[in-house]
């Protein structure tokens, strides 16, 4: 630590159940939040993962009425969650169950808020709500965002051509069920991209100006787990035990950013997703090597430690691993990059980056990361 005083607030508002069969074994949890539930999920993730079936069978046993909203888009928009909120309000839901990757889990938090507050979706960003959001139960089917243990809901904002998050202490999911059975149906691409997202949370949180002793310990463990499984991710050899540890890593990454937030890697990555449709975790991964390079002068010790935990001899070697894991055929013009840098400078989280950044710095990081590809 840089100073000799220790001062922090650490809080995770989510009760986590982890392990194979945890939904069935703890089904009484569902009965604690009421008699009417809206399930928020994507077009296929709920069904393909098997989680939707497990949840509905438990709800049936407990005689909880439910409505399934399967309309969550990837990178959900304000319009998308508005529709979900309307359905939940019409159904008079007592609680919301999110099943899926980060997209459905984030949408579930917005739906839970809009279901009981008569307001436009854009007003979510005020982060002050007349009525408390409905309780959310979160069930991840990817291992990357850690959204099940964060208060954040990241929504696509077309008016500002970017993605932006809302969330406060009341949007932490009340309960999360983490069962690696559900990540078995992910494609290899989604598996790798989401693992890289989890790494990006741990790394950004570790290097954030808002990092703290407890979040650092958690971040180090997440980074170590990623390092241990680099060969598996490259070989796409992902059995249950590997997937279980990656799911655990993803949860740890979420616990880190719940306290530190993210910084410029996410800030820049949002544009790659918004304008080019690059999946979220991959967008971060494409920028990670140059992000580390840029921050090295400001956080040499911590970055050396990250590299040690990842079993990489230097930032260059780590960049090679990311290149092997992620392929990018997109082309970016100088004008694209200028625009993305401007947008990233507007993200509040940019000020938490360990090294002061200018728009020119961001342009350089993106040029080095993207133009040569
Ligand atoms: P995702 O957008 O939720 O899902 C990616 C794709 O994988 C979708 O096509 C999805 O299908 C599919 N899929 C998910 N689980 C599956 C499974 N088990 N089997 C088969 N297919 C499956 O991806 P994500 O990377 O998990 O989430 C990304 C979103 O989370 C972004 O919007 C990002 O900004 C946000 N995020 C949030 C936080 C936070 O703290 N809240 C942190 C980081 C990122 P469907 O279309 O059927 O769902
Ligand atoms: Zn992320």
């Amino acid at each position: 630590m840089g100073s000799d005083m220790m001062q922090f607030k650490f809080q995770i508002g989510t009760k986590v159940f982890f392990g194979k069969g945890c939904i069935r074994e703890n089904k009484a949890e569902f009965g604690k939040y009421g008699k009417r539930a809206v399930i928020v999920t994507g077009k296929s993730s709920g069904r393909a993962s098997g989680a939707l079936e497990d949840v509905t069978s438990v709800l049936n046993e407990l005689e909880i009425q439910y409505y399934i909203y399967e309309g969550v888009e990837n990178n959900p928009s304000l319009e998308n969650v508005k529709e979900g909120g309307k359905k939940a309000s019409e159904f008079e839901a007592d609680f919301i169950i999110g099943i899926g990757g980060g997209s459905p889990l984030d949408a579930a938090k917005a739906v839970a808020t809009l279901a009981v507050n008569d307001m436009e979706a854009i007003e979510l960003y005020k982060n002050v709500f007349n009525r408390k959001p409905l309780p959310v139960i979160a069930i991840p089917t990817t291992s990357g965002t850690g959204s099940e243990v964060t208060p954040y809901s990241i929504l696509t904002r077309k008016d500002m051509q970017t993605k932006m998050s809302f969330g406060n202490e009341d949007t932490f999911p009340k309960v999360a069920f983490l069962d690696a059975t559900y990540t078995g149906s992910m494609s290899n691409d989604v598996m790798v991209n989401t693992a890289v997202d989890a790494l990006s949370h741990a790394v950004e949180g570790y290097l954030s100006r808002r990092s703290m002793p407890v979040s650092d310990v958690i971040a180090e463990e997440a980074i170590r787990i990623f390092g241990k499984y680099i060969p598996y991710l490259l070989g796409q050899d992902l059995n249950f035990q590997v997937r279980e540890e990656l799911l655990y890593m993803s949860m740890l990454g979420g616990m880190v950013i719940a306290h530190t937030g993210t910084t410029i890697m996410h800030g820049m990555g949002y544009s790659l997703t918004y304008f080019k449709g690059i999946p979220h975790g991959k967008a971060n991964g494409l920028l990670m090597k140059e992000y580390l390079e840029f921050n090295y002068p400001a956080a040499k010790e911590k970055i050396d430690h990250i590299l040690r935990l990842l079993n990489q001899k230097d930032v260059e070697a780590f960049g090679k691993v990311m290149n092997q894991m992620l392929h990018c055929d997109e082309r970016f013009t100088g004008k694209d990059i200028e625009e993305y840098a401007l947008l990233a400078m507007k993200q509040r989280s940019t000020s938490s980056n360990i090294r002061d950044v200018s728009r020119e710095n961001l342009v350089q990081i993106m040029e080095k990361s993207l133009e040569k590809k």
Side-chain angles (χ1 to χ4, degrees):
M1 275 192 310
S3 79
D4 13 59
M5 296 244 297
M6 249 203 229
Q7 200 171 45
F8 60 82
K9 173 189 168 201
F10 187 85
Q11 179 192 7
I12 294 288
T14 308
K15 188 197 292 187
V16 175
F17 293 93
F18 191 103
K20 197 174 174 60
C22 62
I23 288 186
R24 177 139 290 283
E25 277 165 28
N26 301 286
K27 66 178 181 189
E29 286 296 320
F30 289 86
K32 293 183 181 170
Y33 297 99
K35 278 288 166 201
R36 298 177 69 79
V38 164
I39 300 174
V40 174
T41 187
K43 282 179 200 67
S44 66
S45 45
R47 289 179 198 276
S49 62
L52 183 61
E53 199 180 323
D54 286 355
V55 166
T56 52
S57 95
V58 161
L59 296 180
N60 287 333
E61 283 171 39
L62 297 171
E63 296 181 356
I64 293 172
Q65 306 290 314
Y66 57 87
Y67 169 82
I68 306 176
Y69 178 69
E70 274 179 298
V72 179
E73 305 155 354
N74 291 356
N75 307 298
S77 62
L78 292 176
E79 295 75 13
N80 194 195
V81 298
K82 174 87 182 167
E83 183 189 71
K86 189 159 173 281
K87 300 275 187 212
S89 152
E90 283 164 7
F91 187 74
E92 296 183 3
D94 297 320
F95 65 108
I96 306 293
I97 303 171
I99 303 177
S103 297
L105 299 190
D106 286 6
K109 297 171 192 171
V111 167
T113 310
L114 292 171
V116 288
N117 288 287
D118 186 15
M119 62 189 204
E120 288 307 318
I122 200 151
E123 293 176 88
L124 289 168
Y125 292 115
K126 289 186 184 160
N127 265 339
V128 182
F129 314 116
N130 285 336
R131 294 185 62 199
K132 274 197 182 197
L134 295 175
V136 171
I137 296 181
I139 303 162
T141 67
T142 63
S143 39
T145 72
S147 178
E148 68 277 9
V149 292
T150 76
Y152 311 127
S153 168
I154 294 148
L155 303 170
T156 299
R157 242 190 115 149
K158 294 179 188 155
D159 61 324
M160 285 180 72
Q161 295 197 305
T162 189
K163 301 180 66 176
M164 209 176 262
S165 76
F166 87 91
N168 64 24
E169 282 187 10
D170 297 325
T171 54
F172 269 108
K174 290 284 174 286
V175 184
F177 291 103
L178 283 78
D179 183 337
T181 311
Y182 306 138
T183 60
S185 53
M186 265 191 288
S187 67
N188 282 323
D189 278 355
V190 174
M191 175 57 96
V192 170
N193 294 341
T194 56
V196 170
D197 188 24
L199 174 67
S200 75
H201 298 155
V203 166
E204 274 190 294
Y206 193 55
L207 298 179
S208 165
R209 283 194 170 136
R210 294 168 60 197
S211 80
M212 58 180 82
V214 197
S215 67
D216 280 357
V217 171
I218 300 174
E220 285 168 353
E221 179 61 357
I223 296 166
R224 185 191 67 78
I225 295 173
F226 187 94
K228 176 175 169 192
Y229 288 112
I230 287 174
Y232 292 72
L233 288 162
L234 286 172
Q236 309 200 325
D237 174 15
L238 303 159
N239 61 32
F240 183 84
Q241 181 252 322
V242 177
R243 293 206 315 278
E244 198 161 62
E245 281 209 61
L246 293 178
L247 186 61
Y248 177 63
M249 167 188 75
S250 160
M251 179 201 74
L252 296 177
M255 290 179 170
V256 173
I257 57 168
H259 294 88
T260 62
T262 55
T263 63
I264 56 172
M265 196 170 14
H266 273 72
M268 293 183 285
Y270 290 149
S271 282
L272 305 193
T273 302
Y274 185 89
F275 292 102
K276 303 285 185 183
I278 297 176
H280 172 71
K282 180 171 172 172
N284 294 336
L286 293 171
L287 301 164
M288 204 176 318
K289 181 217 157 204
E290 295 300 336
Y291 157 87
L292 290 174
E293 202 81 76
F294 171 76
N295 281 309
Y296 198 76
K300 184 175 173 322
E301 256 176 55
K302 272 191 158 178
I303 295 179
D304 283 340
H305 193 48
I306 290 173
L307 294 168
R308 261 197 308 278
L309 290 167
L310 292 172
N311 308 311
Q312 301 301 312
K313 79 170 187 312
D314 51 24
V315 176
E316 209 56 48
F318 171 70
K320 291 205 175 100
V321 170
M322 284 291 111
N323 278 344
Q324 261 179 289
M325 263 184 214
L326 312 164
H327 307 278
C328 180
D329 300 325
E330 279 303 330
R331 296 276 148 213
F332 300 87
T333 64
K335 192 162 157 281
D336 289 337
I337 287 176
E338 290 284 344
E339 190 176 0
Y340 304 170
L342 264 179
L343 287 164
M345 286 305 287
K346 287 188 198 154
Q347 294 276 354
R348 248 184 328 137
S349 57
T350 294
S351 59
S352 319
N353 194 66
I354 189 80
R355 184 174 164 191
D356 283 336
V357 279
S358 65
R359 192 176 57 81
E360 293 71 32
N361 295 142
L362 297 183
V363 167
Q364 273 173 19
I365 294 172
M366 283 188 279
E367 273 176 358
K368 288 188 192 155
S369 306
L370 305 171
E371 275 195 336
K372 60 175 183 256
K373 299 220 156 60

